[in-house]
């Protein structure tokens, strides 16, 4: 077993078993496609079974129904698979709107999916990785895990939690040869951002950009990766800047855009989908 410069046992992508959650569409689907192109044995998991089956059929992958909030479902999937070399914890939701207007069930679902989904996944997969002495976990968070955004308060809370969870487990698992990376995209052109104003000074990326960053962590094993990469130190810059200056920059770049959807109908449809899974 080779130990590379980053200090972790090497994982050869060809033949590696890669489990990607929320892979029926968006970032997860692009990530599954990219790993498949590298010869990995890809497993697509999603609460939407039709989307999972369709995405899996397109690349010759295996699909599973998985509600990441259910530890029991996780355990069944892992028991069936036997082992996982690389886990991509990607499933998530992003409700937007005034904090006091958000229904409790939506906030609860956000924390359950965005935080407990990661916890359940790592607790289901990491023991087997530790037993084999190698493995890599990628938690897909967001730059909203570093930067507060009005209109995304509970989402912010969930992603701040995801960043902290990743950092702490990275320290715990490192001595056993297991790496944990946290990938933090800016705004991504997916269903989660549907109806919201993108661009206009806000760095916006495509699912394929995030997938590429996820794949790179399998080589670098970096702890935190921003997408785009130049935004990596932005939380330090904001922390060092005077609050008045930060408020001015927020106004210039329409920092309240999550409170005012560009397409209210499209956004309402997404918010209703989140409520339906609550």
């Amino acid at each position: 077993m080779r130990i590379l410069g980053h200090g972790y046992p090497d994982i050869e992508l060809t033949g590696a078993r890669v489990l990607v959650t929320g892979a029926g569409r968006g970032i997860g689907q692009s990530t599954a496609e990219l790993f498949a192109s590298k010869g990995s044995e890809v497993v697509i998991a999603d609460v939407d079974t039709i989307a999972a089956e369709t995405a899996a059929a397109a690349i010759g992958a295996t699909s599973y129904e998985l509600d990441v909030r259910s530890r029991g479902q996780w355990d069944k999937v892992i028991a069936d698979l036997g082992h996982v070399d690389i886990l991509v914890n990607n499933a998530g939701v992003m409700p937007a709107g005034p904090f006091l207007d958000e229904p409790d069930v939506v906030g609860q679902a956000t924390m359950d999916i965005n935080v407990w989904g990661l916890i359940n996944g790592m607790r289901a997969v990491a023991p087997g990785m530790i037993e084999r002495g190698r493995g890599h976990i990628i938690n897909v968070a967001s730059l909203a895990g570093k930067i507060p955004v009005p209109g995304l308060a509970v989402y912010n809370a969930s992603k701040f939690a995801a960043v902290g969870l990743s950092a702490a487990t990275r320290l715990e698992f490192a001595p056993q040869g297991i790496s944990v990376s946290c990938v933090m995209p800016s705004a991504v052109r997916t269903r989660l951002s549907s109806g919201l104003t993108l661009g206009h000074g806000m760095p916006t990326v495509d699912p394929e950009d995030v997938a590429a960053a996820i794949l790179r962590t399998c080589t670098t094993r970096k702890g935190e990766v921003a997408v785009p990469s130049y935004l990596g130190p932005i939380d330090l810059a904001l922390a060092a800047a005077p609050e008045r200056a930060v408020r001015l920059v927020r106004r210039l770049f329409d920092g309240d855009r999550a409170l005012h959807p560009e397409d209210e109908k499209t956004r309402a449809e997404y918010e209703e989908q989140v409520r339906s899974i609550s």
Side-chain angles (χ1 to χ4, degrees), residues 121-277:
M122 288 193 289
R123 285 181 172 167
V125 170
M129 291 181 171
I130 292 170
E131 184 178 340
R132 294 188 302 280
R134 66 184 180 90
H136 183 46
I137 297 169
I138 305 103
N139 290 329
V140 180
S142 167
L143 281 169
K146 297 278 190 175
I147 306 167
V149 181
L152 295 179
V154 176
Y155 179 76
N156 269 139
S158 72
K159 294 305 182 178
F160 269 74
V163 171
L165 174 70
S166 301
T169 53
R170 178 179 176 84
L171 296 174
E172 285 195 35
F173 295 161
Q176 293 141 317
I178 314 305
S179 50
V180 179
S181 297
C182 186
V183 173
M184 304 173 296
S186 180
V188 187
R189 297 180 185 91
T190 65
R191 186 178 61 155
L192 270 68
S193 63
S194 58
L196 298 178
T197 303
L198 300 179
H200 301 284
M202 175 187 290
T204 307
V205 297
D206 292 310
E208 293 80 7
D209 301 318
V210 186
I214 290 169
L215 186 73
R216 282 194 296 273
T217 70
C218 297
T219 301
T220 67
R221 307 293 179 90
K222 286 185 66 174
E224 292 185 354
V225 177
V227 188
S229 59
Y230 66 79
L231 291 177
I234 193 169
D235 60 318
L236 299 178
L238 290 174
E243 186 173 4
R244 184 175 296 179
V246 173
R247 287 179 177 175
L248 175 60
V249 171
R250 286 184 179 278
R251 284 200 297 270
L252 291 174
F253 291 99
D254 189 16
D256 292 342
R257 66 182 72 197
L259 292 168
H260 311 289
E262 182 177 53
D263 184 336
E264 293 187 3
K265 182 176 182 295
T266 299
R267 191 63 205 172
E269 290 173 351
Y270 174 75
E271 299 288 340
E272 183 55 38
Q273 290 172 351
V274 175
R275 289 188 185 87
S276 70
I277 61 174

Side-chain angles (χ1 to χ4, degrees), residues 63-156:
S63 69
Y64 284 89
E65 177 181 7
L66 176 62
D67 184 336
V68 296
R69 296 172 291 184
S70 169
R71 178 60 191 273
Q73 287 191 27
W74 270 105
D75 289 341
K76 287 179 181 178
V77 170
I78 301 307
D80 189 56
L81 289 175
H83 78 276
V84 172
D85 297 303
I86 299 170
L87 169 64
V88 183
N89 263 329
N90 166 72
V93 294
M94 190 180 77
F99 172 69
L100 295 178
D101 292 348
E102 181 179 277
D104 290 346
V105 292
V106 172
Q108 186 68 57
T110 301
M111 298 302 291
D112 285 347
I113 295 169
N114 294 0
V115 182
W116 275 101
L118 307 185
I119 294 170
N120 288 336
M122 288 193 289
R123 285 181 172 167
V125 170
M129 291 181 171
I130 292 170
E131 184 178 340
R132 294 188 302 280
R134 66 184 180 90
H136 183 46
I137 297 169
I138 305 103
N139 290 329
V140 180
S142 167
L143 281 169
K146 297 278 190 175
I147 306 167
V149 181
L152 295 179
V154 176
Y155 179 76
N156 269 139

